[in-house]
Amino acid sequence: MKKRRFSWSNLYLVLVFVLLYVPIFYLIFYSFNEGGTMTNFTGFTWEHYETLFSDTRLISIVLQTFVLAFLSALIATAIGTFGAMSIYYTRKRGSRNALMGLNNILMVSPDVIIGASFLILFTMLGGYLRSFQLGFMSVLLSHVAFSIPIVVLMVLPKLQEMNDSMIDAARDLGANNLQVLSNIVLPFLTPGVIAGYFMAFTYSLDDFAVTFFVTGNGFSTLSVEIYSRARQGISLEINALSTLVFIFSLLLVIGYYFISRDNTKKAKKRKREFEEVSVLK
């Protein structure tokens, strides 16, 4: 019987997870504190959750944040998917590398720079269009813009994994460009598209720096609201809200796992079918 050796890598991994999750569970634990502080637990209570659900302003901001994240992720996923396809099918290597470089610049640029740039852009745009003001639309456009590169990076690896002979086989069988796109390319890219959507949704949901610059009077997101309330002092209502958001994120990850696993199986099955058809032909 072999003895298990001590692994520093496993110890490092455990420490990383402890550092990441202990503050979250600390926050969740004190969301049930009757004492109203995060220093001394005096008893269990649901009071802070009741206060949260009675706060109509905060609930409205939560709904606004989720609607914003849903729309921005949806638009960014559509644009990013076709953007990844455009980059992948660009014939000239230099042009393809230049497009990838432009895409990656937004990934490494500081959020403060991106937020300030959008603020200047929207301020100039507001000077020409009096009806355009900082608010939901400006935040939506900003979130779509910084989410597109994320989707591109999620979809491109799936394009590189795709067997181009499937497309050739489909064309030999008489499929046109639209049929190839809808029946071959997009179904194969579905796991990458779903991953890109969830990443864009998450980035939009918790973004603060860019949103702080481009939001206006009458509109706020969850991150900006929590920041403004945290400056006024500790409120366990925020702990309760953070707990619910954490649970929602956990359910989102579980749902993504099952959806991606199912789509991966379907993509592999479809790939085998087309390979069999091409071999028979």
Side-chain angles (χ1 to χ4, degrees), residues 63-82:
L63 294 176
Q64 287 178 173
T65 303
F66 277 94
V67 169
L68 174 69
F70 172 78
L71 289 177
S72 63
L74 190 64
I75 298 171
T77 301
I79 298 174
T81 300
F82 287 100

Side-chain angles (χ1 to χ4, degrees), residues 196-256:
Y197 176 83
F198 277 99
M199 287 293 293
F201 183 87
T202 304
Y203 268 69
S204 175
L205 197 63
D206 65 1
D207 177 76
F208 170 76
V210 176
T211 306
F212 185 78
F213 277 93
V214 299
T215 191
N217 295 328
F219 180 81
S220 182
T221 62
L222 191 56
S223 58
V224 176
E225 182 68 14
I226 290 176
Y227 171 76
S228 62
R229 293 196 180 198
R231 294 180 64 186
Q232 300 173 5
I234 297 174
S235 173
L236 296 189
E237 181 184 351
I238 301 301
N239 288 42
L241 176 61
S242 301
T243 300
L244 296 178
V245 172
F246 175 75
I247 294 173
F248 174 80
S249 302
L250 188 63
L251 294 175
L252 205 64
V253 170
I254 295 173
Y256 164 71

